[in-house]
Amino acid sequence: MQKGNIGVTTENIFPVIKKFLYSDHEIFLRELVSNAVDATQKLKTLSSIGEFKGEVGDLTVHVSLGKDTITVSDRGIGLTAEEIDKYINQIAFSGANDFLEKYKNDANAIIGHFGLGFYSAFMVAKKVEIITKSYRDGAQAVKWTCDGSPEFTIEDTGKAERGTDIVLYIDDDCKEFLEEARISSLLKKYCSFLPIPVAFGKKKEWKDGKQVETDEDNVINDSTPLWTQKPSELKDEDYKKFYRDLYPMSDEPLFWIHLNVDYPFHLTGILYFPKVKSNIELNKNKIQLYCNQVYVTDSVEGIVPDFLTLLHGVLDSPDIPLNVSRSYLQSDSNVKKISTYITKKVSDRLQSIFKNDRKQFEEKWNDLNIFINYGMLTQEDFYDRAKDFSLFNDTDGKYYTFEEYKTLIKDNQTDKDGNLIYLYANNKDEQYSYIETATNKGYNVLLMDGHLDIALVSMLEQKFEKARFTRVDGDIIDHLIVKEDKKNEALEADKQEALSSIFKSQLPKIDKAEFNVTTQALGENATPVMITQSEYMRRMKEMANIQAGMSFYGEMPDMFNIVLNSEHKLVKGILVDKDKECAAAVAPVQAEMDEVNKQRNELKKKQEGKKDEEIPTAEKDQVNELDKKWETLKTQKEGIYADYAAKNKVVRQLIDLALLQNGMLKGEALNNFVKRSLELIK
Ligand code: ADP
């Protein structure tokens, strides 16, 4: 028997492995099984080139559980005593502590860096044995034993078959790994697609109401998964089935892309566009990353562009360096190339479906747009490709490319300054009347009801030249698309003021909402009262909801405009009626106000050109007095209008109808409206 010390420079690497890799203990199984698979593949290669002339035999890798052991056995190339010394004993370990400190949360990095695959066994085992016999002619079987200290022993042993058994004597605090179910699920997670059959125990079947073992190996993996096969030999159903196997709970995918590159890097895989029922379901960690069919991780952040992390599927590449930290990954040139390649493939695929089967593309647009919009928003080069096939959807359900849409609205929706105005609605039902008003004018209204549309609109305004997006309820339609300089407002100032007082006094109190009343000549056939909400403020608030650091806007109340149509019969009627009802009461107040105003203007005129300190205090006080008086009179006048308005059911009814049309009439106010309506019908 030979004794020795494992060639590490740190005192004892095993406590380090245990301590730092604690959270990832389970990967020991992946490491050992993939070593077994590697050794088996090497044997297959040697056999195929004639270097190994013996019988290859059944190459299945076996994982088995004993009372306190886990054994991984293969019939691969095996190891000679010299090879054990070279590959197992002398692990290079320079700068170990620094490295471990830096990457203590990233087991993959540590294991990759040191080639510690095999040593990860010590994360769960107190003692490990390697019983191995090389494929070489006349090789002597050897047994290596190490109990977790840097000391090991190596001795000759009897072993009939070529290959390696790794026996782990499981630590007392790792007993969970002796449970069949646990190992089963780990094998499923890490080994499902290894290229060599891996068996865990025997297949079971039901017999006389019990599960009994059969003679057949329980092979847990598919050694030729779909992504390793030739796309030309696969049918749609194969892709769908593979998807179902990977994501049993998901709906059928929309599209898929089979990736297959050999140069300048190796990458295979299948990416699926999932059908997303709601945005809540969007899940970033669905793509599985493999390295030569060995599962590595389901977090592909930093490897594929952010928007593509929303896709499902598998990527397999030996060229993605896994032994580095995530932050480093993004600057790796291979990773950059891979990321660019995937982006291009995805856009090519979308482009080709768009070109060859536009109908299908449109049908799936509602599910697809979340990916495409996200991509366009976050990835400049994707925008440049996607702008040719990304679609607008209008409120009639028609689809247009950006270019087609521009052509459609160019003649009719260009305003007097040459800006192209894109009208949109985000809710067809709630904004029905505004959409109707716009379409009656021959305008087209887009439907933009996606979660990313607010952000998209802002981006497109920057990308498109001389273009503005505005929601249909942003203002009266002639103000949204201003075709000629504004007509003079027909109504005199005092009438406007009276109308404003009358309507303002009857507006219900709505939490976090403020109203401003204006009058516009909208034509006698247009609605008497409408509510608009300024595009700018609304957009700021919406952005605040999705973006951090804008809470200032989020806190602001919603600002609404109540627009009275001075040309509508009912509004005109109120003006006439108000004159009749209020004139007598208003006249003396108004006369007094005019007088106050006159006096104030005279005083102000006298003070013109004087510095503040040159004006006598008495005079200043006088101005203040007049101002106060004027305010009091104004309030008095408004009170007269308010009293009148309170008795005028038409005013309340018009306000409520406008609120109702915007889904803003609720609770008690709605109830009052219904009662009042019934009274009016009687
Ligand atoms: P890596 O696999 O990254 O090289 P490991 O620590 O996992 O690092 O293994 C070290 C070496 O030990 C391997 O390169 C291989 O030569 C040898 N080895 C490990 N497991 C086996 C096995 N089951 N059969 C044959 N050789 C093995």
Side-chain angles (χ1 to χ4, degrees):
M1 191 198 288
Q2 190 189 336
K3 278 194 178 187
N5 264 328
I6 295 163
V8 293
T9 55
T10 3
E11 262 310 286
N12 187 338
I13 77 159
F14 304 115
V16 178
I17 291 174
K18 277 204 174 169
K19 189 168 151 211
F20 287 117
L21 308 185
Y22 189 80
S23 62
D24 283 315
H25 273 177
E26 62 182 41
I27 60 164
F28 80 94
L29 194 61
R30 173 189 76 185
E31 295 302 313
L32 298 182
V33 175
S34 49
N35 277 352
V37 165
D38 284 349
T40 309
Q41 280 185 310
K42 280 181 197 155
L43 184 92
K44 275 174 90 171
T45 309
L46 290 175
S47 169
S48 71
I49 61 173
E51 288 215 2
F52 173 67
K53 297 201 171 58
E55 194 67 31
V56 171
D58 177 7
L59 293 178
T60 307
V61 169
H62 287 267
V63 177
S64 43
L65 285 178
K67 202 167 96 22
D68 55 0
T69 57
I70 300 177
T71 304
V72 178
S73 317
D74 66 66
R75 295 209 55 211
I77 52 173
L79 290 157
T80 61
E82 294 73 45
E83 284 165 340
I84 289 188
D85 196 46
K86 189 161 158 207
Y87 298 128
I88 303 288
N89 295 341
Q90 297 177 20
I91 42 176
F93 216 62
S94 56
N97 278 333
D98 291 350
F99 188 86
L100 284 173
E101 192 47 48
K102 200 158 159 203
Y103 296 118
K104 59 186 164 200
N105 296 319
D106 197 344
N108 280 319
I110 296 176
I111 287 174
H113 185 85
F114 296 116
L116 275 186
F118 164 73
Y119 279 101
S120 66
F122 287 97
M123 297 195 297
V124 297
K126 55 187 173 209
K127 184 171 98 174
V128 179
E129 289 171 0
I130 306 175
I131 300 155
T132 181
K133 187 170 170 186
S134 170
Y135 73 99
R136 292 168 205 279
D137 283 340
Q140 166 65 50
V142 287
K143 176 168 152 186
W144 176 93
T145 310
C146 179
D147 66 0
S149 71
E151 284 170 14
F152 65 86
T153 60
I154 187 161
E155 62 197 301
D156 287 354
T157 188
K159 184 179 190 312
E161 304 266 21
R162 169 202 76 228
T164 305
D165 299 337
I166 309 282
V167 187
L168 312 190
Y169 292 81
I170 299 299
D171 237 342
D172 294 341
D173 55 1
C174 294
K175 289 274 191 236
E176 55 178 298
F177 294 111
L178 290 169
E179 284 163 27
E180 193 180 317
R182 183 74 206 267
I183 295 299
S184 221
S185 81
L186 289 182
L187 288 172
K188 188 169 160 50
K189 177 171 173 186
Y190 291 110
C191 305
S192 277
F193 301 112
L194 287 175
I196 298 286
V198 178
F200 180 46
K202 298 286 177 193
K203 272 225 170 77
K204 289 179 181 161
E205 63 178 24
W206 285 97
K207 214 173 184 183
D208 305 328
K210 296 197 286 228
Q211 284 234 303
V212 292
E213 279 191 357
T214 62
D215 291 338
E216 208 184 325
D217 281 343
N218 175 34
V219 174
I220 55 93
N221 60 330
D222 168 7
S223 45
T224 51
L226 211 63
W227 76 84
T228 63
Q229 298 173 35
K230 281 208 187 77
S232 58
E233 288 165 11
L234 295 169
K235 294 193 201 61
D236 285 0
E237 192 39 49
D238 297 322
Y239 288 102
K240 289 180 191 169
K241 184 182 175 303
F242 187 62
Y243 186 79
R244 278 197 300 275
D245 291 344
L246 287 174
Y247 313 100
M249 307 302 279
S250 293
D251 280 354
E252 199 164 277
L254 302 170
F255 307 117
W256 49 86
I257 304 166
H258 197 142
L259 303 166
N260 197 342
V261 223
D262 278 330
Y263 185 82
F265 48 83
H266 291 278
L267 175 76
T268 51
I270 300 169
L271 289 178
Y272 292 93
F273 279 82
K275 190 171 162 64
V276 187
K277 274 184 238 116
S278 70
N279 289 312
I280 303 150
E281 264 180 64
L282 284 179
N283 193 330
K284 287 197 162 183
N285 293 329
K286 286 280 189 169
I287 297 179
Q288 303 181 351
L289 183 63
Y290 289 80
C291 176
N292 292 327
Q293 296 174 236
V294 182
Y295 174 88
V296 179
T297 175
D298 60 6
S299 151
V300 291
E301 257 163 278
I303 295 164
V304 304
D306 197 42
F307 77 103
L308 293 178
T309 59
L310 301 175
L311 301 186
H312 293 179
V314 293
L315 294 175
D316 189 337
S317 174
D319 291 327
I320 296 170
L322 300 164
N323 52 347
V324 297
S325 75
R326 285 283 150 152
S327 51
Y328 178 81
L329 208 54
Q330 280 156 36
S331 60
D332 180 87
S333 74
N334 258 341
V335 171
K336 271 192 195 150
K337 276 185 220 145
I338 289 174
S339 166
T340 310
Y341 171 84
I342 295 174
T343 308
K344 184 173 178 309
K345 273 285 162 191
V346 167
S347 45
D348 285 353
R349 175 86 173 116
L350 290 168
Q351 171 89 44
S352 94
I353 301 167
F354 167 76
K355 257 194 167 154
N356 302 326
D357 192 352
R358 175 145 176 183
K359 196 164 155 281
Q360 192 203 168
F361 193 78
E362 288 183 1
E363 277 163 12
K364 295 185 175 168
W365 177 253
N366 283 342
D367 294 305
L368 265 183
N369 71 19
I370 182 91
F371 305 105
I372 297 182
N373 288 346
Y374 190 19
M376 290 198 299
L377 282 165
T378 53
Q379 192 93 5
E380 190 77 28
D381 56 339
F382 185 74
Y383 174 83
D384 291 337
R385 294 166 190 276
K387 68 180 190 321
D388 296 331
F389 56 76
S390 183
L391 299 178
F392 281 139
N393 178 203
D394 76 4
T395 44
D396 284 335
K398 290 205 194 74
Y399 294 90
Y400 308 85
T401 62
F402 294 169
E403 203 52 45
E404 288 164 356
Y405 194 72
K406 189 174 168 183
T407 310
L408 178 80
I409 63 169
K410 203 174 63 210
D411 292 336
N412 206 14
Q413 291 181 215
T414 304
D415 73 4
K416 66 183 175 59
D417 301 320
N419 290 312
L420 194 53
I421 310 297
Y422 291 73
L423 297 172
Y424 69 95
N426 70 340
N427 189 314
K428 250 165 89 171
D429 291 333
E430 281 175 17
Q431 288 143 14
Y432 185 88
S433 63
Y434 303 91
I435 298 170
E436 192 187 54
T437 310
T439 44
N440 282 347
K441 284 212 137 213
Y443 297 152
N444 188 284
V445 181
L446 292 172
L447 183 62
M448 305 203 88
D449 55 0
H451 277 232
L452 296 176
D453 281 334
I454 316 160
L456 188 75
V457 155
S458 298
M459 182 190 72
L460 293 179
E461 277 180 343
Q462 283 167 21
K463 296 271 183 194
F464 294 175
E465 264 163 49
K466 296 207 90 177
R468 228 179 49 232
F469 282 73
T470 178
R471 209 165 86 179
V472 270
D473 59 348
D475 204 333
I476 62 168
I477 191 71
D478 289 338
H479 289 183
L480 292 179
I481 305 179
V482 182
K483 292 285 181 73
E484 59 211 52
D485 285 321
K486 214 176 149 191
K487 288 184 286 189
N488 277 339
E489 186 56 61
L491 218 52
E492 298 91 330
D494 64 328
K495 286 187 176 155
Q496 283 198 43
E497 202 188 292
L499 275 178
S500 176
S501 298
I502 288 170
F503 277 86
K504 243 185 197 159
S505 72
Q506 299 306 307
L507 283 170
K509 292 263 165 293
I510 297 178
D511 197 32
K512 282 210 148 190
E514 276 176 25
F515 295 93
N516 179 36
V517 180
T518 63
T519 47
Q520 299 284 341
L522 301 176
E524 52 189 314
N525 294 322
T527 181
V529 182
M530 67 190 278
I531 298 176
T532 62
Q533 194 185 6
S534 128
E535 175 77 11
Y536 178 77
M537 275 307 292
R538 200 206 69 245
R539 230 197 260 183
M540 285 303 171
K541 284 198 69 159
E542 284 171 349
M543 291 294 275
N545 287 337
I546 53 170
Q547 218 165 300
M550 283 185 68
S551 57
F552 161 73
Y553 284 106
E555 295 298 312
M556 303 266 285
D558 286 320
M559 309 282 262
F560 296 101
N561 280 316
I562 306 265
V563 184
L564 306 176
N565 178 4
S566 60
E567 290 178 333
H568 193 276
K569 202 170 77 193
L570 287 169
V571 178
K572 279 182 171 169
I574 291 169
L575 275 175
V576 173
D577 189 47
K578 148 308 304 187
D579 276 346
K580 214 168 65 198
E581 298 289 322
C582 308
V586 168
V589 182
Q590 188 62 53
E592 228 181 311
M593 282 173 81
D594 293 345
E595 179 55 31
V596 169
N597 215 19
K598 209 176 108 202
Q599 288 177 22
R600 188 186 186 278
N601 285 345
E602 278 165 10
L603 275 171
K604 275 285 175 194
K605 209 166 179 183
K606 231 173 81 185
Q607 294 168 358
E608 234 167 66
K610 282 188 191 165
K611 285 195 188 121
D612 193 47
E613 59 267 25
E614 292 167 350
I615 303 168
T617 321
E619 241 178 59
K620 280 189 198 165
D621 288 348
Q622 231 177 323
V623 172
N624 282 342
E625 272 311 305
L626 287 170
D627 281 348
K628 256 192 236 159
K629 196 163 173 198
W630 195 86
E631 279 301 326
T632 318
L633 288 165
K634 186 169 171 264
T635 313
Q636 206 180 326
K637 188 169 79 175
E638 281 170 357
I640 298 169
Y641 287 137
D643 287 346
Y644 160 73
K647 281 179 270 168
N648 185 328
K649 283 185 184 153
V650 178
V651 173
R652 283 308 300 259
Q653 198 71 2
L654 287 178
I655 292 173
D656 286 355
L657 283 170
L659 290 169
L660 192 67
Q661 209 163 26
N662 286 272
M664 293 165 74
L665 196 63
K666 287 176 186 151
E668 191 187 352
L670 179 58
N671 198 30
N672 288 342
F673 167 78
V674 172
K675 280 190 198 155
R676 192 182 330 109
S677 299
L678 289 170
E679 277 166 32
L680 285 168
I681 296 169
K682 279 202 296 220

